[in-house]
Every structure is written in C-alpha cells, then in structure tokens.
Amino acid sequence: MERIERIHALHRILTAARYPVTVQRLQEELECSRATVYRDLAYLRDQLMAPVIGNGEAGFRYDPDDSSRFELPGLWLNSDELHSLLAAQQLMLRSGGGVLSDALAPLQQRIEKLLDDHAGGRRVPVERVRVIPHRTRKLDETAFRHVATAVLDRKQLAFEYRARSTDQHTRRAVSPQRLTHYRDNWYLDAWDHERDGLRSFAVDRISAARQLDEAARDVPDEELDRQLASSYGIFSGTPKGWATILFSAKAARWVADEHWHSQQQGRFLPDGRYELKLPYSSGRELLMDVLHYGSDAEIVEPPPLREQARTLLQLAISNYERSPG
C-alpha cells in the first residue's frame, strides 16, 4: 500500500472509531510496520492538522470534539480511481437517451456529491483531466450488443467475420467466453466450434451477429488464460518461445517503466541499455511495438523474429528510395 493510500485508510479508520485503535490493529489493517504506523500518525497530526489523540499504550483516535470538522485536504484519488471515475462519467454521457440514462442519473449525482465532499465543498473541475482515445475503431453497435448479450447470457453466437489480415469472409458459430477491452478496442474470446479451439475476434470485424438458442460451452478461466493471455499481445496463443529485445540507453528510461507482459524479465546492462525478455506466440503485434522505437530497439532473439524485423525495415526503407506518389 502506497503512503497516500495508507493515510487515506488511516483517516477512515480513525473517523469510524468510537474507541482508541491499537497500534497492532493499525499495523494489520494498513499492512505496514509499527514504525510506519507512528510515522503516518505523526504526518496526519502534524502536517495535515488532524485531531489525533492517544498514545502507543492505549491506542489512537480522533478527538470527538473536533473529528466532525476535520477532512483530508484536497481530493485524494490514485490513478486507477481517477481513470475509473472518468470512465464512469464518459459512460453516463454516452448513454444519454439510451436504456441506461435514467438508471445512471442518480449515480452521476452521487459522484458529484462525493467529489464536493472530499474537496471541502469546492467544485472539482474534472473536465481539466482528459482521457484521450487512441486509434479507436468504429463499431457496429448492433453487432456489439448481440456479442455482449451472448457473453452475459451464456448463449452461442453466430456471425460473419472479416479477417483484417486477409480480408477473408467466414461464417462462425462460437461459444462466447469473455469480452476484452484492449488498446481502446473490443475483442471477443470464444470457443470456435468448427475449428474446435479458442479464438479471439476483433468485434469491429463482426457483422450479422445473432444469438442462438444453444447454451454456450464454458471454458475454465485457467484454460482461457493459458491459451489467450500467456503470450504477448491480444492474439497471443500458447507461447512458442521467448523474445529478447535490446533498447538503447535513451529508450531504456521509458521501457524500464513499461508493462509489456505479466511474465516479462528486464534488466539494465552495464552500458545503460535495457534488455527485455518476454514470451510470444504470433510475432506481428510484438514486431509492431518494437519497431515503434525505431533505431532505439533491436530484436536479438530468436533469429526468425529478428529476420522478420529486418525484412519489415528493408521494406519500409524501399518506400523512401522511390519518388513519392
């Protein structure tokens, strides 16, 4: 638990406490050491002017005469909470006139009141925080509704699918497993009955979707994760190997803080470069992300993936060796 979260949790505990809270209990609830509890109590009392009273023997609480008048200064949100808040507000704005608009209206009011309460009655200008969609794709809302309903109703689904890589049209009958929102786009993980295996489908490539009467076949979560989340990217599949990528010292400052995969292994080299290793199945998405770094990234292993990157770079160079147009 980060310090800002501990302070927030400590404030909630002391606000709700009718009797002094022991240091032992605070250690357990805050998941920290005895020394950290004392430091946080001192910070809350001396820096934030909280009415903390008590001692290490009897325990601590807020002075009942002052506790109702004390609030933590400012708005205490971590990045996940702020993102969730903005996502909820966007949902409410986009649902205007739809099925959810009336149901979500009270939630909007509660969010606004929550923000006002935590900001000491001042209006919080949430519009000054932006979440910018990146490379989103246009969805067929009717198709999406059928897909989402089939996932939640646990029914089989039939649809037409147009593969982006080949532009080939196929008719699919699947058992939907879960919807995944990845890089601002939606994907359907499903058991493909004709191909007798798990597949991921970009929802924006689905059309003429209709829910079937047959119940969907359920695939255990462990199997879904093993086949669809164990390698790099959205269309991952079972790992076929590990990729090793070297990043320049300049790029290392960014890459070292990035999350590429749950099983990634990274280390700084003596010369300042950064070595990143991760499992992969299909190389296309990994290649796209590595080439994004241009000359600051180099695929070292495996040789076939390195050769693919070299071929793609040569093709890119050839585009600039001829006259434009």
Side-chain angles (χ1 to χ4, degrees):
M1 190 183 297
E2 295 182 359
R3 187 182 194 189
I4 189 172
E5 294 172 329
R6 287 200 316 273
I7 294 294
H8 199 72
L10 180 58
H11 171 66
R12 289 198 303 268
I13 294 169
L14 297 180
T15 298
R18 297 179 60 187
Y19 302 100
V21 183
T22 65
V23 174
Q24 179 64 36
R25 179 189 158 192
L26 292 176
Q27 282 182 249
E28 294 171 357
E29 297 207 23
L30 301 177
E31 300 177 349
C32 64
S33 67
R34 186 180 183 87
T36 299
V37 168
Y38 279 110
R39 282 196 296 269
D40 288 347
L41 284 167
Y43 180 81
L44 193 59
R45 182 192 60 217
D46 301 334
Q47 301 298 320
L48 302 181
M49 308 303 292
V52 178
I53 58 175
N55 56 63
E57 297 296 327
F60 294 89
R61 62 177 297 191
Y62 278 164
D63 187 333
D65 295 332
D66 296 325
S67 60
S68 61
R69 295 195 296 269
F70 175 74
E71 284 291 341
L72 288 176
L75 180 64
W76 292 59
L77 295 176
N78 61 32
S79 60
D80 286 340
E81 290 173 328
L82 184 57
H83 187 273
S84 298
L85 168 66
L86 295 175
Q89 286 198 318
Q90 287 298 312
L91 172 63
M92 286 181 278
L93 290 173
R94 293 174 186 174
S95 66
V99 176
L100 293 177
S101 57
D102 291 339
L104 290 177
L107 179 59
Q108 171 71 28
Q109 296 169 4
R110 292 185 64 182
I111 288 177
E112 291 175 353
K113 184 178 185 305
L114 174 68
L115 293 176
D116 289 343
D117 290 345
H118 280 269
R122 293 177 290 105
R123 177 184 174 276
V124 178
V126 180
E127 69 277 3
R128 291 190 175 272
V129 181
R130 296 192 299 163
V131 176
I132 302 175
H134 178 62
R135 300 171 68 178
T136 55
R137 302 171 190 158
K138 185 177 180 180
L139 275 177
D140 180 335
E141 291 295 341
T142 301
F144 179 83
R145 191 178 303 114
H146 283 299
V147 170
T149 301
V151 170
L152 298 177
D153 286 350
R154 310 305 306 127
K155 294 291 186 180
Q156 292 186 25
L157 184 73
F159 56 84
E160 293 182 4
Y161 192 70
R162 184 179 177 185
R164 195 178 303 276
S165 57
T166 63
D167 206 34
Q168 180 183 6
H169 289 255
T170 55
R171 187 70 186 172
R172 304 295 183 99
V174 305
S175 285
Q177 302 301 314
R178 58 190 180 189
L179 270 173
T180 300
H181 192 253
Y182 177 72
R183 298 190 178 188
D184 280 334
N185 294 293
W186 287 101
Y187 298 88
L188 170 67
D189 296 336
W191 180 268
D192 191 314
H193 293 284
E194 182 178 343
R195 291 157 180 78
D196 197 32
L198 288 169
R199 298 289 188 273
S200 286
F201 302 93
V203 177
D204 64 294
R205 309 299 285 180
I206 290 175
S207 61
R210 63 185 180 90
Q211 183 174 305
L212 304 178
D213 294 331
E214 293 83 355
R217 167 181 174 175
D218 284 331
V219 178
D221 289 340
E222 296 78 9
E223 181 68 10
L224 290 173
D225 290 337
R226 187 181 70 82
Q227 293 203 39
L228 298 176
S230 55
S231 295
Y232 185 82
I234 186 64
F235 302 106
S236 54
T238 303
K240 296 178 181 176
W242 283 70
T244 301
I245 310 148
L246 284 181
F247 294 89
S248 70
K250 180 177 70 174
R253 295 192 293 271
W254 279 268
V255 178
D257 292 331
E258 293 177 351
H259 176 81
W260 289 52
H261 191 271
S262 60
Q263 299 178 37
Q264 70 185 46
Q265 301 172 9
R267 67 186 181 106
F268 280 98
L269 301 181
D271 59 3
R273 292 183 300 169
Y274 190 78
E275 179 187 79
L276 179 67
K277 294 184 177 183
L278 46 83
Y280 81 101
S281 176
S282 172
R284 55 178 176 163
E285 191 174 354
L286 178 57
L287 285 167
M288 177 182 66
D289 288 342
V290 172
L291 295 179
H292 166 78
Y293 278 91
S295 61
D296 287 313
E298 175 190 359
I299 294 176
V300 178
E301 293 180 338
L305 190 64
R306 179 181 174 88
E307 181 61 24
Q308 282 183 271
R310 190 179 71 85
T311 300
L312 289 174
L313 288 170
Q314 287 179 331
L315 289 172
I317 291 173
S318 69
N319 291 332
Y320 291 91
E321 291 178 340
R322 61 174 184 265
S323 299

